[in-house]
Amino acid sequence: MAYHFESLPQLVNLRGKLPHDGWQPTNSKYAKTDIAVHHSLTHEGDAYSFSRYHVYTNGWPEIAYHFVILKDGTIQWCHGLHVISYHVGNSNSFAVGICLVGDFRTTEPTDAQKRSLRELHAQLKRDMPDYKRTRGHDEFPGYAWKACPEFDYESVINGKGPQYGTAAGGKGKRTLGRGDKGIDVRRVQKKLIEAGYDMNGYGADSSYGPATEEAVKQFQLDQNLDVDGLFGPNTRAKLNKLLENKAAADKPEPEPKPNKPKEDETVAFDDVKKGEYYADAIVNLKREGIMKGQSESTFGVGENLKREDAAVLIDRALKHEQKQHNNLVAELRAEIDNLKEKHK
């Protein structure tokens, strides 16, 4: 067992079984320091539907999340920790993504989802040797404008009840003011900081005090809003829009993808058609360096394989398996050494 979280009974391994168009880059689980918590912003869904959307609509190679937690508490495992998936922009290389199915602007995760998040989070901290922190999607650089994950994930992973504060109003739409406390206030403070209002250095302390009120007033003045120091719907909308525009301006231009003929779309090699029963196997063999093509662009579909070539392929596969085994043993030994150091 490579990871501690694999012992969770509600875990379902879907790696390699989801829709994809290529493969995500990888680094190492030792490069992962953060856990990112998301909600799907949909009332229903699962790893299969999210993967289809990410691949066929967004044009990404694979699903964005490492894990998807369904409403019944099932944890769908989509990527190993070494995979760099698309879920928090420039932070992807060091963040592991967990998505709970639901739109938590108006509802709460189910009790089963909360339990699974808490248990998965506890095991991931054991599986990530250099773990530093857990953040919501909107707490990563460039995403303060995004309403995600919109539930008190910190209380969930710490086994406590949600702390939404004392402000009046519907969930996610509260008007905040002097004296309010809780997660909603902290989120507003983080957004103000990202927008350039530092609140005299007090930071995001979850308490709507004089410094927060003054920052809100200054923002309202700058945006030609009524200056009352209350964080209401108009101020919220202006701040979210400002941060959304800022994130779009900071986002690097994506590299153009090469055009492929729609009726003869290929993978790995020009003569390997996407959707053929052997296509995924050839992609995997090429990626792992076990089998090469006749040239950079041609695999040689339909041609016979000589016995001596088969021997070379089998030998490469065995060496690759041995290398994977050695890497796993090295990782386990490193973890054991790490634990020994911590318990000295």
Side-chain angles (χ1 to χ4, degrees), residues 33-248:
T33 59
D34 287 33
I35 296 173
V37 181
H38 305 258
H39 69 160
S40 66
L41 205 60
T42 60
H43 294 294
E44 303 297 335
D46 57 18
Y48 294 97
S49 59
F50 301 153
S51 183
R52 286 193 292 271
Y53 181 79
H54 293 161
V55 173
Y56 303 130
T57 301
N58 290 355
W60 299 344
E62 297 181 84
I63 188 172
Y65 313 116
H66 291 78
F67 302 93
V68 173
I69 302 180
L70 305 184
K71 291 186 175 181
D72 66 1
T74 298
I75 302 171
Q76 296 180 317
W77 181 19
C78 309
H79 295 302
L81 302 189
H82 61 291
V83 172
I84 304 172
S85 61
Y86 299 167
H87 61 110
V88 280
N90 292 333
S91 302
N92 287 330
S93 64
F94 58 83
V96 171
I98 303 173
C99 178
L100 282 70
V101 175
D103 181 351
F104 303 136
R105 295 173 301 179
T106 54
T107 62
E108 282 285 303
T110 65
D111 289 342
Q113 283 180 307
K114 291 178 181 179
R115 183 173 60 253
S116 286
L117 174 60
R118 184 163 56 251
E119 293 175 356
L120 175 60
H121 184 267
Q123 297 300 333
L124 280 174
K125 287 173 65 177
R126 300 174 67 193
D127 287 320
M128 296 167 62
D130 295 316
Y131 168 82
K132 291 181 181 176
R133 59 192 168 179
T134 297
R135 293 185 279 180
H137 189 177
D138 60 354
E139 295 172 297
F140 281 82
Y143 288 99
W145 59 273
K146 200 168 184 67
C148 179
E150 289 298 289
F151 72 98
D152 189 357
Y153 69 87
E154 291 172 280
S155 292
V156 171
I157 62 181
N158 291 322
K160 300 178 181 178
Q163 303 295 317
Y164 285 113
T166 56
K171 187 177 186 299
K173 298 179 181 178
R174 297 168 175 79
T175 293
L176 301 169
R178 180 81 78 93
D180 286 324
K181 299 178 184 294
I183 187 173
D184 287 345
V185 174
R186 185 168 72 253
R187 284 173 174 157
V188 169
Q189 290 170 328
K190 288 180 176 179
K191 291 181 178 186
L192 286 167
I193 291 169
E194 182 154 339
Y197 300 83
D198 66 2
M199 294 176 291
N200 295 324
Y202 279 91
D205 61 1
S206 303
S207 179
Y208 204 117
T212 301
E213 186 177 66
E214 284 306 310
V216 171
K217 285 182 177 179
Q218 185 59 54
F219 175 77
Q220 291 171 331
L221 183 64
D222 294 343
Q223 297 295 320
N224 297 316
L225 296 168
D226 291 337
V227 179
D228 57 10
L230 297 174
F231 194 81
N234 292 338
T235 305
R236 186 186 304 275
K238 278 283 188 180
L239 182 55
N240 285 346
K241 190 63 180 176
L242 182 148
L243 291 172
E244 186 174 359
N245 291 340
K246 180 177 181 293

